[in-house]
Amino acid sequence: MQSAKRIHWSQFLANVDARSVWDARKLAAGRAPDWFRTLENASSPTEINNTLLQHFFPPRPSPPPPLILPAFNDVPPVLPAEVSSALRKSSNMSAPGPSGIPYTVWKQVHKANKRLLPSLFTPQLTHGYYPLAMKRANGIVLDKPGKPDYRTPSSFRIIVLLETVSKILERLSALRLASAACSLGLLHPNQCGFLAGLGCFDAVATLTHEVNLLQAAAFKVSTLFLDFKGGFDNVCANKLATILTRGGVSAYLVAWIKSFLSKGQWRLIFQGAPKVFCPVAVGTPQGCPITPLLFVLYISQPPPDAPSRSGDFICRRPHHHGWLGLSTFKYPPSSIVFRQHPKARCRLGSGFLCPQN
């Protein structure tokens, strides 16, 4: 039967003309499966939409929008060179947000008028404000492959497509924040991800070098890879702002980040979706250029119940008490290399490693 089907299909394609070519295309594409008609406790598109929103974006406290937007002093204006640098790192193949405007349009706009985008971004940084219109996004609902049942929201995942013009400003802010974090010592010295000139290759090279170095000194070496489940979603905007303020980050950047992390408006895209924008509150939105850096800074401080002795928090300070820390945060897992004294033992708890007598 399968052989007969293949022969019939080949004969059909061989006789396709200008009128029947579209019929052939429809047959080749097939019918998209309707995953959502059997979702538990939800039958109508509106009920499905609300169920998915409740599952992926449960209500949580969010910083209220400021009533007054004072201008901060000494805010460096956005330069055309900064915009050009951000646009060079933006792929033309990236899917656009709700407006449908791709990066190619903004590249042509910036090429025609170098002052337009800087004049749009500078007032937002000056007042530490991120407009609600720039926080609108499409949430593409995709099924997770290999699931035995697609009747629950946990069998799906959401890919967020933000406005391209928003991600240009986020990339600019990420570059400024990374520069400030490095100069203020807020990042681990071995941090490789999300910094200019460093990447996965540097992390692997450093990891290999440290392992070989310790093994040559007759140390027992172990490597622990950690993955923070739901890390981006659980970033608290107020705590992050406190960490950045105490670290000496400029007030305008802290205010802009708090505004960036306040509630946005997303609409879910699936078959039969109502396609209405709904307010959502997330920790740090996935897919944003600045999100990984914010998460790294958020976990750069030891937890409140961590031991207070210097060196106990392995990602905090390297080379104390015989421990060597190596952070290679990447979407967002981290790699930690530590060396163990022959008479020492170690325990893992609360997200940190410390020696145990």
Side-chain angles (χ1 to χ4, degrees):
M1 183 179 293
Q2 294 294 334
S3 177
K5 287 183 177 180
R6 286 195 296 268
I7 294 174
H8 177 74
W9 178 246
S10 299
Q11 292 175 351
F12 175 77
L13 292 180
N15 298 322
V16 165
D17 54 20
R19 300 184 60 182
S20 58
V21 65
W22 298 109
D23 294 333
R25 181 182 181 277
K26 291 180 181 179
L27 292 173
R31 181 179 178 181
D34 187 4
W35 296 112
F36 297 94
R37 60 183 177 184
T38 57
L39 195 63
E40 289 182 345
N41 303 323
S43 57
S44 67
T46 302
E47 291 177 348
I48 295 173
N49 188 81
N50 295 336
T51 301
L52 293 173
L53 287 174
Q54 182 67 25
H55 174 79
F56 288 103
F57 313 109
R60 65 180 64 196
S62 179
L67 300 178
I68 301 177
L69 297 174
F72 292 91
N73 298 324
D74 303 327
V75 178
V78 176
L79 302 177
E82 292 182 275
V83 177
S84 299
S85 177
L87 287 173
R88 279 196 300 269
K89 299 179 181 179
S90 304
S91 173
N92 294 336
M93 302 302 295
S94 296
S99 67
I101 302 177
Y103 281 116
T104 52
V105 172
W106 296 116
K107 290 180 180 180
Q108 293 299 322
V109 168
H110 187 62
K111 182 178 179 180
N113 189 342
K114 299 289 186 181
R115 298 182 180 181
L116 182 60
L117 289 177
S119 65
L120 174 65
F121 297 150
T122 298
Q124 298 182 38
L125 295 177
T126 301
H127 294 274
Y129 181 67
Y130 198 61
L132 181 60
M134 297 183 68
K135 289 188 285 187
R136 290 193 168 191
N138 288 335
I140 310 299
V141 182
L142 302 176
D143 59 287
K144 296 180 180 178
K147 291 292 182 179
D149 184 16
Y150 290 91
R151 294 172 56 87
T152 60
S154 58
S155 299
F156 301 89
R157 59 193 177 99
I158 295 181
I159 302 298
V160 180
L161 303 179
L162 302 116
E163 294 287 5
T164 49
V165 66
S166 305
K167 291 195 284 188
I168 297 173
L169 177 57
E170 292 162 21
R171 199 177 297 275
L172 290 172
S173 302
L175 293 174
R176 291 192 176 190
L177 181 60
S179 176
C182 290
S183 61
L184 295 172
L186 300 181
L187 294 175
H188 191 276
N190 288 329
Q191 175 67 36
C192 293
F194 321 112
L195 297 178
L198 297 174
C200 288
F201 177 83
D202 303 277
V204 174
T206 305
L207 173 62
T208 305
H209 170 75
E210 296 293 349
V211 170
N212 294 335
L213 183 66
L214 295 175
Q215 286 180 339
F219 280 99
K220 294 182 179 179
V221 185
S222 300
T223 306
L224 175 64
F225 296 91
L226 299 179
D227 177 68
F228 295 87
K229 182 178 180 180
F232 289 172
D233 297 336
N234 292 286
V235 172
C236 177
N238 291 328
K239 291 182 180 179
L240 176 61
T242 301
I243 292 173
L244 297 179
T245 302
R246 290 178 179 177
V249 177
S250 300
Y252 82 91
L253 266 180
V254 177
W256 183 89
I257 291 171
K258 287 188 65 176
S259 179
F260 167 73
L261 295 179
S262 61
K263 287 185 178 181
Q265 288 189 342
W266 295 3
R267 64 180 179 185
L268 300 184
I269 306 298
F270 58 88
Q271 293 182 11
K275 296 184 180 180
V276 293
F277 286 98
C278 301
V280 297
V282 296
T284 52
Q286 298 193 32
C288 297
I290 197 174
T291 288
L293 179 60
L294 294 180
F295 177 72
V296 170
L297 291 171
Y298 184 72
I299 63 173
S300 63
Q301 301 296 320
D305 58 344
S308 59
R309 293 178 298 168
S310 175
D312 282 345
F313 192 70
I314 188 170
C315 288
R316 181 64 174 166
R317 292 285 186 267
H319 303 301
H320 288 287
H321 304 296
W323 298 87
L324 175 64
L326 171 65
S327 300
T328 59
F329 294 93
K330 187 70 175 177
Y331 297 109
S334 65
S335 303
I336 302 178
V337 181
F338 60 92
R339 62 182 181 183
Q340 181 178 350
H341 191 273
K343 296 183 179 180
R345 293 179 295 159
C346 66
R347 62 183 174 87
L348 177 62
S350 302
F352 61 91
L353 288 169
C354 62
Q356 182 180 14
N357 297 327

